[in-house]
Amino acid sequence: MSEGSSNPRYQTGGEGRAEGRPRAASPVAERPSPHNLEIERAVLSAMLRDPAYCGSKAVELLGAPGAFYSQVHREIFAAYMRLYQASDSGIDVLSLQAELQKAGKLESCGGLPALAELENAIASTYNFDRWCLMLRDLATLRNMINVCSDSIRKCYEAEKDAADLVNEIENDIYKVRGDADSTSIVPLKDSVWKAFKHIERIINKQEEPGISTGFPDLDNMTGGMKRGEMFVVAARPSIGKTALALNIIRNIVMKSNPKTAVLFSLEMTDEQISTRLICTEADISERQFRDGNFRNQKDMLRLSHAVNNLRNAPLFIDPTGGLTIAELRAKARRMKIQHQIDLIVIDYLQLMQGSGHEESRQREVSEISSGIKSLAKELQIPVMVLAQLNREVEKGTASTLPKLSHLRESGSIEQDADVVVFLHRDRDQAKNLPPGASVEAKLIVEKNRNGETGYVNLEFYPSRMEFVNVRYTANDRAEVEKDKKNQ
């Protein structure tokens, strides 16, 4: 029995489109969509012959009737799934016949003779898993054709802003990719082995546990910024969040084996960011450009050298203001596909916008925060997010340390984040400093889902906007603990 054979009871019902999807005018409408009817029949036959394994595996790998091109095969698979959901055992030709008859689909599927012929269509189920993967690949190609065809129609019939439409189309395309890459439930024995191989590579220095920030004491606590993690750096305004983020980015993209990063800057332009990076790399203050004191040929050589060092750094900057979580997701997905980015940095969370459907700013920030965490897991890369602290932290003394409750506008940030680091220093100490002087600063690792918390001593050089790691002593720790108890 085969699709398109002389058997009038077993004919196709058209292309294998996802159920409920509107048919779009297509530039390739005259060509049949990718499919393999013999593989489809082999999969259905194996499901009837071995429902205990093949039936459950097909439901897991294929998921929906849209994986089949033939309308008849889709109806048979849908009936099989209904039986499987009621009971994953005892499915045979007779029970499938009854289910199709109940749905009024038996005659269009060829009746009992056609089902009996289907059961005996293969001699062995040996390659069943491979058959399912082949069907899934063909379904992915059909879905991509449908999405592209629908995209052409949407462009001709556009009733919304072009940028919004492009984002929508990008999301549709990435969803096809995501559906194709989606993983099934993993047995512990496979997961344990995979985890062991990862640990083994780390032990043998073949792989880093996470992306190093370039601050050794911070990396010792957190293990670096790890895949799928949301890494929050929070502080009050003018403490140096952006400077610290740029220092970390510079440490990452300028090392001998650089990682690729993208910075979404909602507060500064790309030129401002580049200027900061150049000055830090050249160890020159921006003030020298503004006050007319830049006359030194040696400094010019340092600037040129810094530009040459930075120009090939794998860093991308997006200075879009008022970025929405949907736009962030679309752009990040595209950067992951095109440039295989290793790190996303967002400066900063409270300047982002949600979908516009939330009734309060707190819920909007919650939507943004959860969206960022989902993006990190989806792309399997770390996302470093800068965030503002509320004014409560400034109501104490200069030594008052920030807490998780000081995160501005949403408690969901502390829930979604894997690591929360506070940047703390006395803002007044940096006023009227002589050139090249530094002030004390601290990184407070207040939350670390997979490790310890603690403090990291830093020196901050305002003239070049650079933080430098300083080893933490026992006396320092005692003083900080004392301050924390007195709050």
Side-chain angles (χ1 to χ4, degrees):
M1 180 181 65
S2 63
E3 186 86 3
S5 68
S6 59
N7 187 343
R9 297 173 298 179
Y10 201 76
Q11 301 293 327
T12 68
E15 292 187 0
R17 299 176 57 85
E19 294 183 7
R21 177 182 289 278
R23 182 174 295 275
S26 169
V28 291
E30 69 279 2
R31 300 179 60 182
S33 296
H35 66 281
N36 188 320
L37 298 180
E38 292 305 314
I39 295 294
E40 291 185 11
R41 294 178 65 245
V43 167
L44 292 172
S45 178
M47 291 168 63
L48 285 169
R49 291 170 66 102
D50 184 5
Y53 176 79
C54 295
S56 59
K57 196 68 177 178
V59 171
E60 177 188 339
L61 291 177
L62 302 179
F68 293 83
Y69 174 81
S70 161
Q71 178 66 30
V72 171
H73 294 160
R74 291 203 300 272
E75 294 292 355
I76 293 173
F77 186 79
Y80 192 101
M81 284 188 69
R82 291 193 296 272
L83 291 173
Y84 183 85
Q85 289 165 359
S87 172
D88 60 0
S89 62
I91 302 176
D92 55 19
V93 170
L94 293 179
S95 61
L96 189 60
Q97 175 201 19
E99 181 62 29
L100 286 168
Q101 190 167 27
K102 179 178 166 183
K105 303 291 184 180
L106 181 60
E107 287 305 313
S108 63
C109 291
L112 182 59
L115 294 178
E117 183 182 345
L118 180 64
E119 182 181 26
N120 297 310
I122 60 172
S124 169
T125 63
Y126 179 73
N127 286 320
F128 180 76
D129 288 18
R130 177 171 172 77
W131 297 338
C132 287
L133 293 177
M134 290 172 67
L135 285 193
R136 198 166 70 174
D137 286 346
L138 291 168
T140 297
L141 295 176
R142 293 197 299 273
N143 287 338
M144 183 60 77
I145 290 171
N146 291 337
V147 166
C148 291
S149 298
D150 287 348
S151 299
I152 293 172
R153 176 184 57 78
K154 288 176 182 177
C155 289
Y156 277 114
E157 302 172 1
E159 296 180 353
K160 58 172 68 176
D161 181 75
D164 291 339
L165 181 57
V166 170
N167 284 334
E168 180 183 321
I169 291 171
E170 285 180 342
N171 285 335
D172 289 342
I173 292 174
Y174 197 88
K175 186 177 185 304
V176 172
R177 182 186 180 91
D179 290 344
D181 293 340
S182 61
T183 56
S184 58
I185 296 174
V186 180
L188 179 60
K189 62 179 182 180
D190 293 344
S191 182
V192 166
W193 180 249
K194 183 178 177 182
F196 171 73
K197 298 301 290 183
H198 175 61
I199 293 169
E200 190 177 43
R201 289 193 298 270
I202 293 173
I203 292 172
N204 294 331
K205 307 297 183 183
Q206 297 172 329
E207 184 176 321
E208 296 176 335
I211 298 176
S212 172
T213 63
F215 293 91
D217 291 345
L218 179 61
D219 291 335
N220 286 341
M221 283 188 205
T222 64
M225 293 181 288
K226 296 185 279 294
R227 290 177 297 180
E229 284 194 347
M230 179 177 172
F231 193 104
V232 174
V233 177
R236 285 295 295 151
S238 301
I239 296 299
K241 293 189 303 296
T242 301
L244 179 65
L246 290 178
N247 291 169
I248 292 174
I249 290 172
R250 177 169 157 259
N251 292 338
I252 290 169
V253 302
M254 297 290 288
K255 60 183 182 180
S256 57
N257 54 335
K259 302 293 186 181
T260 303
V262 56
L263 169 62
F264 292 93
S265 176
L266 289 82
E267 193 173 33
M268 299 173 63
T269 67
D270 57 313
E271 186 175 343
Q272 289 173 323
I273 292 166
S274 298
T275 300
R276 278 219 188 168
L277 288 170
I278 291 170
C279 290
T280 302
E281 180 70 13
D283 192 11
I284 291 175
S285 172
E286 281 190 58
R287 188 171 60 184
Q288 292 179 249
F289 309 144
R290 297 192 299 267
D291 60 16
N293 292 327
F294 193 83
R295 299 286 186 270
N296 194 316
Q297 184 63 28
K298 183 178 178 182
D299 288 344
M300 181 57 75
L301 288 174
R302 286 160 64 187
L303 274 178
S304 300
H305 185 65
V307 170
N308 285 332
N309 288 344
L310 287 164
R311 65 189 305 174
N312 294 320
L315 172 64
F316 298 89
I317 302 169
D318 186 324
T320 305
L323 190 70
T324 67
I325 187 63
E327 290 170 338
L328 171 69
R329 187 179 296 113
K331 291 182 177 185
R333 285 168 170 170
R334 186 167 65 247
M335 292 297 293
K336 178 67 174 175
I337 294 170
Q338 293 178 346
H339 301 288
Q340 289 300 303
I341 54 173
D342 302 296
L343 172 69
I344 295 172
V345 181
I346 302 169
D347 183 16
Y348 59 91
L349 185 145
Q350 282 89 353
L351 290 180
M352 289 186 65
Q353 299 178 14
S355 61
H357 304 304
E358 299 297 336
E359 55 193 38
S360 70
R361 178 57 182 168
Q362 184 171 346
R363 290 192 176 183
E364 185 178 28
V365 172
S366 296
E367 177 195 7
I368 295 167
S369 175
S370 61
I372 291 172
K373 173 59 182 175
S374 296
L375 181 65
K377 291 181 65 178
E378 176 185 320
L379 300 186
Q380 277 298 288
I381 59 176
V383 179
M384 183 168 70
V385 188
L386 307 190
Q388 288 268 21
L389 296 176
N390 59 41
R391 296 180 185 273
E392 292 297 318
V393 72
E394 295 186 343
K395 291 183 179 179
T397 65
S399 63
T400 299
L401 300 179
K403 305 174 183 177
L404 290 174
S405 58
H406 291 141
L407 282 166
R408 183 178 169 188
E409 290 181 323
S410 176
S412 68
I413 299 174
E414 64 178 278
Q415 296 171 16
D416 295 325
D418 297 278
V419 178
V420 177
V421 177
F422 296 127
L423 175 62
H424 180 71
R425 67 179 177 85
D426 185 349
R427 188 188 290 119
D428 292 334
Q429 285 184 354
K431 294 177 180 177
N432 299 319
L433 278 180
S438 67
V439 296
E440 295 179 355
K442 286 184 179 66
L443 286 179
I444 305 167
V445 182
E446 191 70 9
K447 178 185 178 182
N448 186 6
R449 198 187 301 276
N450 299 307
E452 63 181 296
T453 58
Y455 309 96
V456 176
N457 264 6
L458 303 177
E459 289 287 334
F460 177 53
Y461 293 83
S463 61
R464 62 177 189 261
M465 303 299 286
E466 184 175 18
F467 288 89
V468 177
N469 197 111
V470 178
R471 288 296 174 182
Y472 206 75
T473 68
N475 289 336
D476 294 327
R477 183 177 295 276
E479 285 297 320
V480 172
E481 291 294 346
K482 181 180 177 182
D483 290 340
K484 205 167 185 179
K485 287 178 181 178
N486 291 335
Q487 289 180 27

